[in-house]
Amino acid sequence: MRILFILLFYSTSLSFAQEKYPTDYFAPPLDITLIASGTFGELRSNHFHSGLDIKTQQRQGLKVYASAEGYVSRIKISHFGYGKALYITHPNGYTTVYGHLQKFSDEIEAYVKKRQYEEESFEIELFPNSDEITVNKEEVIAYSGNTGGSGGPHLHFEIRDNQERPMNPLLFGLDIKDTTKPIITEVYAYPIGKDAHVNKSRNKQKLRLIDDRNGGYTVENIEAYGKIGFAIASIDRQDLAANKNGVYNIQTRFNGNLLFELDFKRFSFSETRHLNRLIDYEHYQTKKQRLQKLFVQPNNPLSMYKNVVDDGYVVVEDSTSSVYKVRVSDLKNNEAWLQINIKGVKTDVVEPADEKTSPYYIFDNQEQSLKLDRVSVDIPRNTFYDDFFIDFNVKNDTLTLHKDIIPAMKYFDISYNLSGYKTEDINKLYIARLVGYNDYPLYSNTKRRGSILTTSTRTLGKYALAVDTTPPTITPINFTKGKWLSKYRFLKIKIEDKESGISNYRATINGKWILTEYDYKTKTLTYDFNDAVSIETKNILKVIVTDNVGNNSTFETMFYRK
């Protein structure tokens, strides 16, 4: 049977490109009505959503089924991200992904725990051979949960092609009830170039949206001249949920001609951060609205664009009348239409464009260094999408590096030269990003090389030196010293560090390493007594927790168990 499976896998992989969307191949991963809390391609922070978030009735522990036969090709357990995740490769060349799981099936759970104990690590990534863990279609492979970066119980489900590119799972026949039209909530116009203007202004203009309550939208008629781009904020909803989901397709037309199309069928992980080039990043950072630009700027490598003419811009001539239309649709072909009537009027009396200058200028295609006092910022070439004036200042070891209103493609380095500081003082310092109105210090991964502290980041804003001399805290949750725990299934401990954050932890019983699952959302370590690390009556539990600057705490206690 396994030989037959392997032969089938390779033979069908050759014909992969010929069969894009097999709509009867994949079964639903849950045996409940599918309701989406998140859709494919949805706009998230610094990335597109790569799958379908399926609601699990606000519960954990629902059976998760293999959508098709195949073999488990990857298992990953992490504190963040997908938490506990399974990857199944199928004979037709696709891979399905199941994330935020509570636990795996018994066979897979045993396989994983064996390796976790061998490596003495909760976080682990495994790549089983094709004949190690084979599964049948609709076989129980796991149970739904809330692990990793999940904001509530649900199943994250993906379908990837044979190049590991995520694709929209709804293209493969999974059905979610949807007769609801997308919604357009904001419209903006962008004059491009020194001669362009909209409503007598060279600055971005919000257009007053008029909703006919039936999927049709207009704006108050506008006067414009020159090269103009538009952007909208839009969402989609399904019938059985109130979640504000992402749309499937956006098209624009100018005077009846197709000008631009954005299609959320598939993308690659290497391009997902370029979402920040699709949206108006400054607008999102200041107003928390994701405007989707309906034009393509330089240095935008996204593969989702189709049928783009003149980069999606329109050119409005003087003394003309034009019509710009936007069609927003979901995968069930529910659609919303926006019409913008444009009167071409050239005028010299316009509001000038806002211009921000500083002594420092960034060229996107050049490697550059900024230095002041003991602080330096090293920026590789092609870190940013555009050239711009950057605010750069250092005062009392606080670095102001512009505002977080310009997205970075690459990491750049911030370094502090602490020559003259005592080594023991340097070891307790770290570089923090200051966030919020009260400049709360948030640990930024800091490396030490002699008297130099360096952090790599992709976020502009304020940074400062911070000190952490306080060790983490360790608190037992469901037991006390000397307690009999014979009837307990789990041992729970809270670990917390309020400054630089927890770096690592280690727990042992009678000197033997035990697997403790860490949930950063509840700050809880959990040990399962079914692992049977110790069969002694008297047991010594020892937990060591270390923070990101090396402060550590040790908790030791005794308990009894039969």
Side-chain angles (χ1 to χ4, degrees):
M1 179 63 187
R2 288 178 176 171
I3 294 175
L4 177 62
F5 170 81
I6 293 170
L7 290 174
L8 182 62
F9 170 77
Y10 285 111
S11 63
T12 54
S13 293
L14 296 175
S15 60
F16 178 88
Q18 300 173 10
E19 187 179 29
K20 281 193 173 181
Y21 312 119
T23 56
D24 58 354
Y25 189 86
F26 294 107
L30 297 171
D31 60 0
I32 58 174
T33 300
L34 298 187
I35 302 175
S37 59
T39 54
F40 181 84
E42 205 166 271
L43 309 181
R44 302 283 180 89
S45 294
N46 299 314
H47 71 283
F48 297 101
H49 188 232
S50 57
L52 192 66
D53 284 346
I54 305 173
K55 294 186 178 230
T56 56
Q57 303 172 341
Q58 299 180 343
R59 296 186 293 155
Q60 299 189 50
L62 274 62
K63 292 179 179 178
V64 177
Y65 301 91
S67 282
E69 70 167 319
Y71 71 93
V72 176
S73 53
R74 182 183 179 195
I75 305 168
K76 186 173 183 180
I77 298 178
S78 54
H79 296 141
F80 307 102
Y82 292 175
K84 294 185 178 183
L86 275 181
Y87 300 70
I88 298 177
T89 298
H90 305 283
N92 64 353
Y94 292 96
T95 296
T96 51
V97 183
Y98 313 76
H100 306 306
L101 302 170
Q102 181 190 61
K103 61 180 180 179
F104 307 118
S105 66
D106 290 345
E107 178 191 0
I108 300 173
E109 191 80 11
Y111 178 90
V112 173
K113 277 200 173 183
K114 182 176 183 294
R115 293 293 299 273
Q116 286 175 312
Y117 272 97
E118 288 173 354
E119 298 185 19
E120 295 192 354
S121 175
F122 168 64
E123 290 193 299
I124 198 167
E125 188 170 15
L126 305 172
F127 297 91
N129 295 325
S130 59
D131 61 349
E132 284 190 88
I133 309 175
T134 58
V135 297
N136 296 316
K137 185 174 184 176
E138 299 182 325
E139 177 183 335
V140 175
I141 54 172
Y143 297 86
S144 67
N146 187 32
T147 57
S150 170
H154 73 279
L155 175 68
H156 176 87
F157 178 71
E158 294 180 18
I159 298 179
R160 300 183 183 180
D161 66 14
N162 61 354
Q163 297 180 51
E164 281 293 304
R165 294 176 297 186
M167 305 183 70
N168 194 326
L170 296 182
L171 293 169
F172 294 82
L174 298 182
D175 188 42
I176 292 180
K177 187 177 182 181
D178 185 3
T179 60
T180 305
K181 296 178 180 180
I183 300 170
I184 298 173
T185 59
E186 301 281 350
V187 185
Y188 281 78
Y190 294 69
I192 307 298
K194 63 180 182 178
D195 295 327
H197 51 81
V198 174
N199 292 338
K200 297 182 180 181
S201 175
R202 291 199 169 100
N203 294 302
K204 178 178 74 174
Q205 293 294 299
K206 181 177 182 178
L207 307 181
R208 192 173 82 83
L209 190 65
I210 303 170
D211 181 359
D212 71 4
R213 304 298 177 184
N214 194 36
Y217 300 85
T218 58
V219 300
E220 290 184 334
N221 292 347
I222 67 170
E223 294 183 353
Y225 176 79
K227 187 177 179 181
I228 310 295
F230 293 92
I232 63 171
S234 61
I235 60 169
D236 188 35
R237 283 199 168 111
Q238 283 75 46
D239 291 5
L240 302 178
N243 300 77
K244 298 177 180 180
N245 300 132
V247 303
Y248 173 67
N249 183 278
I250 303 176
Q251 296 179 359
T252 71
R253 288 175 169 79
F254 187 55
N255 293 333
N257 297 314
L258 184 62
L259 184 67
F260 169 98
E261 184 172 2
L262 182 64
D263 187 84
F264 290 100
K265 282 190 176 76
R266 176 175 63 196
F267 63 88
S268 64
F269 287 108
S270 63
E271 64 181 310
T272 190
R273 190 175 176 87
H274 295 297
L275 167 140
N276 291 330
R277 192 58 160 169
L278 165 66
I279 66 171
D280 184 329
Y281 187 81
E282 179 176 354
H283 189 93
Y284 173 69
Q285 291 298 104
T286 55
K287 299 183 182 300
K288 299 308 174 187
Q289 296 173 333
R290 290 189 175 96
L291 295 179
Q292 300 157 82
K293 292 181 286 193
L294 307 180
F295 50 91
V296 184
Q297 296 168 287
N299 299 320
N300 185 339
L302 288 174
S303 62
M304 303 170 186
Y305 297 114
K306 296 170 57 180
N307 304 312
V308 178
V309 178
D310 296 329
D311 292 326
Y313 296 106
V314 302
V315 176
V316 180
E317 303 289 348
D318 190 23
S319 303
T320 60
S321 294
S322 303
V323 177
Y324 180 87
K325 289 187 176 183
V326 182
R327 175 184 180 266
V328 182
S329 59
D330 60 29
L331 202 135
K332 291 291 186 72
N333 287 319
N334 302 300
E335 59 184 28
W337 282 88
L338 165 66
Q339 179 167 316
I340 301 176
N341 298 316
I342 308 171
K343 183 178 181 181
V345 178
K346 182 178 181 181
T347 178
D348 294 328
V349 183
V350 296
E351 177 189 24
D354 295 335
E355 294 185 358
K356 300 173 183 177
T357 62
S358 82
Y360 303 95
Y361 193 74
I362 298 298
F363 296 93
D364 74 88
N365 63 348
Q366 294 182 17
E367 181 179 305
Q368 291 174 261
S369 293
L370 306 173
K371 295 184 179 181
L372 194 60
D373 297 335
R374 64 177 72 249
V375 181
S376 61
V377 180
D378 296 306
I379 303 171
R381 64 193 303 267
N382 300 323
T383 294
F384 300 99
Y385 293 99
D386 300 302
D387 301 343
F388 68 101
F389 285 100
I390 189 169
D391 293 330
F392 173 67
N393 189 33
V394 178
K395 185 176 181 180
N396 297 329
D397 287 332
T398 296
L399 163 67
T400 299
L401 189 63
H402 213 74
K403 294 180 180 178
D404 183 18
I405 57 174
I406 296 176
M409 292 183 277
K410 294 181 180 179
Y411 286 95
F412 54 90
D413 291 338
I414 298 172
S415 299
Y416 281 76
N417 187 335
L418 302 183
S419 299
Y421 279 65
K422 296 180 180 179
T423 301
E424 56 268 28
D425 293 334
I426 294 176
N427 289 340
K428 299 303 178 183
L429 292 172
Y430 63 93
I431 301 174
R433 184 162 67 93
L434 305 183
V435 298
Y437 294 108
N438 59 349
D439 284 342
Y440 179 81
L442 192 66
Y443 176 79
S444 185
N445 188 28
T446 303
K447 295 181 180 179
R448 294 167 175 77
R449 190 178 68 254
S451 60
I452 306 295
L453 297 187
T454 301
T455 187
S456 295
T457 181
R458 289 187 289 192
T459 305
L460 295 173
K462 294 174 71 174
Y463 290 82
L465 287 178
V467 61
D468 181 3
T469 59
T470 305
T473 58
I474 307 172
T475 309
I477 295 176
N478 65 340
F479 66 96
T480 56
K481 183 177 181 180
K483 188 171 182 177
W484 282 88
L485 303 179
S486 302
K487 295 182 179 180
Y488 282 58
R489 167 75 186 273
F490 299 104
L491 195 65
K492 293 182 178 291
I493 304 161
K494 183 175 183 179
I495 62 174
E496 188 172 11
D497 188 86
K498 295 183 178 180
E499 295 187 41
S500 63
I502 291 171
S503 173
N504 57 70
Y505 56 89
R506 179 181 177 85
T508 60
I509 292 179
N510 299 332
K512 297 179 180 178
W513 184 85
I514 59 172
L515 174 64
T516 48
E517 297 195 6
Y518 178 53
D519 183 349
Y520 77 93
K521 297 188 286 288
T522 60
K523 303 178 176 65
T524 302
L525 290 177
T526 302
Y527 167 65
D528 187 347
F529 279 115
N530 284 356
D531 289 356
V533 171
S534 173
I535 58 174
E536 302 294 326
T537 300
K538 181 180 178 180
N539 297 276
I540 302 298
L541 170 70
K542 185 175 183 180
V543 181
I544 302 173
V545 181
T546 306
D547 66 20
N548 280 300
V549 299
N551 299 307
N552 63 74
S553 296
T554 300
F555 171 81
E556 192 167 327
T557 192
M558 175 183 63
F559 66 88
Y560 298 93
R561 183 176 171 83
K562 288 184 179 179

